[in-house]
Amino acid sequence: MQNKPENIPQLQTIEAPLHQLEKQLLSQQVEIESWLRHQWRKTPPLLYSSVDLRNSGFKLAPIDTNLFSAGFNNLNPDFLPMAIQAAQTELEQLRVGCLRILIISEDHTRNMLYFESLATLQEILLKAGFAAHLGSLREDLTEPQELKLPSGRTIYLEPVQRAGNKIGVGDFTACLILLNNDLSSGIPPILQNLDQLVCPPLELGWATRLKSNHFRHYDAVANEFAELINIDPWLINPYFRQCDHVDFLKREGEEQLVKHTEDLLQAIQKKYDQYGIKQKPFVVIKADAGTYGMGVMSVFSADELRHLNRKKRTHMSTAKGNRPITQVLLQEGVYTIEQWQEPTAEPVVYMLGRCVIGGFYRLHAGRSDSENLNSPGMQFAPLAFTKACNNPEQCAEPNACTNRLYSYGVIARLALVAAAREQAELKEKK
């Protein structure tokens, strides 16, 4: 599914608070960009990341930050040069003189679209002037595997081998290991205690990382940023709670879930009343560790948790790799008013280092404006951050102005600041 780079979805409505937020972001670009540069000096960004956003018309907020991005093939190919330049700049800052990169792939999937993403990521690095190979930790892969992709491209997946405290493929030894494996099943011994730089750090894999910790950092970032530009931090920040010792099948931790859900719904309702919002608040419950949209559901009342059927309890019992869900994040549900050619849509912003390189709209014709779109049946429409509309009041159609793309980029980079603080916190603990 393709769209012109300058296009954004046709929105059903544009409520005043978000339109005002967009104008405020544009009017304070100098202060915002200066503040962000200061944050990168204090806490350097991760090498790559992507952020799922939701635009409700009255609120624009991140709902997830992925540090092992797998969707580079959905970016607009016309803006590959932007990604190449970002890779050159960010890698030189990260590791001066680095020339050889080993990308470690997911080992559970045979999805050709995932391999298309790997091919695009490898292409970016190769065209940026780096030797880049694709390695796999799969036990059944004992020799290089040639994969012909639907796009017509060919990639070679090679078994990773270890010699001493370094890993490589064949006779290729990298100076930087780029993880595209989220380590949901744990940190394998072959990756431990390496002399090579590993990005992201092993401790930021889903074996140890918690979404609640990320949003704890984001909460602080949002408050600091809101004070900078004089806005209500709630407009860019979803309320959340964390619950542990949960077992949906055994109904353990149910009362804790109910209590936190009730508290969240009440807090959201107060904000809705403040802004005159007529919609009904809802809460999204998701696995505190994990990805691929697994272990996610939306509830509009705490009573729904007491009356979950067997199917929903089973759905909420395990995450990727059949990992049991024992901790959950309860997050304020953010409606999406965005649509692209009718399907419900939400933007996903991609970054290399501190640079926004584009993104795409995740689309789902079978999901409502309050449901998780990261599920089977989703499609993608690429977008490109070509320019920002610096004077939205002069646009003939304010809802179609590309200033929204700048707003997406600002909020995504706030989530990246939070992720950078996660990384810094890990270093302090070592």
Side-chain angles (χ1 to χ4, degrees), residues 161-168:
Q161 301 171 330
R162 178 161 178 159
N165 288 333
K166 291 187 177 182
I167 60 172

Side-chain angles (χ1 to χ4, degrees), residues 1-3 52 70-75 111 113-114 340-341 343-348 350 359-364 373-375 377-383:
M1 183 177 294
Q2 298 292 323
N3 62 298
D52 296 358
F72 287 94
N73 55 308
N74 296 315
L75 303 180
N111 187 327
L113 293 179
Y114 171 70
W340 176 255
Q341 298 174 354
T344 305
E346 65 186 14
V348 183
Y350 271 60
F360 53 82
Y361 289 100
R362 180 182 289 118
L363 316 173
H364 205 304
L373 305 187
N374 188 7
S375 61
M378 61 183 166
Q379 295 178 288
F380 307 96
L383 62 88

Side-chain angles (χ1 to χ4, degrees), residues 1 16 52 59 120 137 148-149 166 168 173 175 203 258 261 267 271 292 306 315-316 331 333 340 366 391 397 406:
M1 183 177 294
D52 296 358
K59 182 172 186 138
T120 303
L137 303 178
K148 295 186 181 299
L149 307 180
K166 291 187 177 182
T173 302
C175 51
E203 296 80 6
V258 167
T261 300
K271 280 297 183 180
Y292 288 171
R306 294 193 175 99
H315 171 71
M316 292 299 298
Q331 188 178 66
W340 176 255
N391 195 347
E397 298 181 15
Y406 178 72

Side-chain angles (χ1 to χ4, degrees), residues 257-276:
L257 282 170
V258 167
K259 178 63 168 63
H260 281 316
T261 300
E262 288 175 340
D263 291 345
L264 265 182
L265 289 171
Q266 290 175 7
I268 301 165
Q269 186 62 63
K270 287 181 180 179
K271 280 297 183 180
Y272 278 24
D273 292 342
Q274 178 182 338
Y275 286 98

Side-chain angles (χ1 to χ4, degrees), residues 106-121:
E106 287 283 3
D107 52 16
H108 71 284
T109 184
R110 304 297 185 270
N111 187 327
M112 282 296 165
L113 293 179
Y114 171 70
F115 294 128
E116 292 280 13
S117 175
L118 282 183
T120 303
L121 177 58

Side-chain angles (χ1 to χ4, degrees), residues 83-317:
I84 293 169
Q85 184 176 16
Q88 291 171 332
T89 301
E90 298 300 324
L91 279 163
E92 180 63 20
Q93 291 193 20
L94 180 66
R95 175 58 64 93
V96 176
C98 173
L99 294 175
R100 300 159 67 84
I101 300 172
L102 177 60
I103 304 169
I104 305 294
S105 70
E106 287 283 3
D107 52 16
H108 71 284
T109 184
R110 304 297 185 270
N111 187 327
M112 282 296 165
L113 293 179
Y114 171 70
F115 294 128
E116 292 280 13
S117 175
L118 282 183
T120 303
L121 177 58
Q122 184 182 37
E123 180 183 359
I124 290 170
L125 295 174
L126 289 171
K127 290 185 175 179
F130 300 93
H133 286 233
L134 300 176
S136 173
L137 303 178
R138 280 169 39 196
E139 293 182 359
D140 64 334
L141 187 68
T142 57
E143 58 184 27
Q145 180 181 14
E146 178 183 277
L147 294 172
K148 295 186 181 299
L149 307 180
S151 63
R153 296 181 292 185
T154 299
I155 62 172
Y156 296 89
L157 205 58
E158 303 178 73
V160 174
Q161 301 171 330
R162 178 161 178 159
N165 288 333
K166 291 187 177 182
I167 60 172
V169 291
D171 59 358
F172 179 85
T173 302
C175 51
L176 185 145
I177 309 302
L178 180 58
L179 285 181
N180 202 245
N181 182 316
D182 64 24
L183 306 180
S184 291
S185 300
I187 302 173
I190 195 172
L191 296 180
Q192 296 176 14
N193 303 313
L194 294 177
D195 290 339
Q196 297 144 306
L197 177 64
V198 180
C199 298
L202 299 175
E203 296 80 6
L204 284 177
W206 284 124
T208 51
R209 184 182 181 226
L210 295 176
K211 295 177 183 178
S212 55
N213 189 45
H214 171 75
F215 281 99
R216 174 177 62 84
H217 284 290
Y218 182 79
D219 186 63
V221 171
N223 286 330
E224 294 167 25
F225 182 78
E227 184 176 357
L228 173 76
I229 66 170
N230 192 29
I231 62 168
D232 180 351
W234 178 75
L235 295 174
I236 59 172
N237 188 16
Y239 289 152
F240 75 95
R241 302 285 190 279
Q242 190 258 6
C243 289
D244 51 16
H245 307 297
V246 171
D247 188 320
F248 282 90
L249 289 177
K250 295 180 180 179
R251 305 188 69 161
E252 294 176 358
E254 185 173 280
E255 288 307 312
Q256 179 188 202
L257 282 170
V258 167
K259 178 63 168 63
H260 281 316
T261 300
E262 288 175 340
D263 291 345
L264 265 182
L265 289 171
Q266 290 175 7
I268 301 165
Q269 186 62 63
K270 287 181 180 179
K271 280 297 183 180
Y272 278 24
D273 292 342
Q274 178 182 338
Y275 286 98
I277 298 163
K278 303 303 182 184
Q279 289 164 292
K280 189 175 182 179
F282 69 100
V283 169
V284 177
I285 301 173
K286 58 180 74 172
D288 205 2
T291 185
Y292 288 171
M294 301 178 70
V296 180
M297 68 176 181
S298 301
V299 297
F300 289 82
S301 73
D303 282 343
E304 291 181 46
L305 293 170
R306 294 193 175 99
H307 300 99
L308 291 178
N309 58 34
R310 181 75 179 182
K311 182 178 180 180
K312 286 189 175 179
R313 291 185 184 280
T314 300
H315 171 71
M316 292 299 298
S317 65

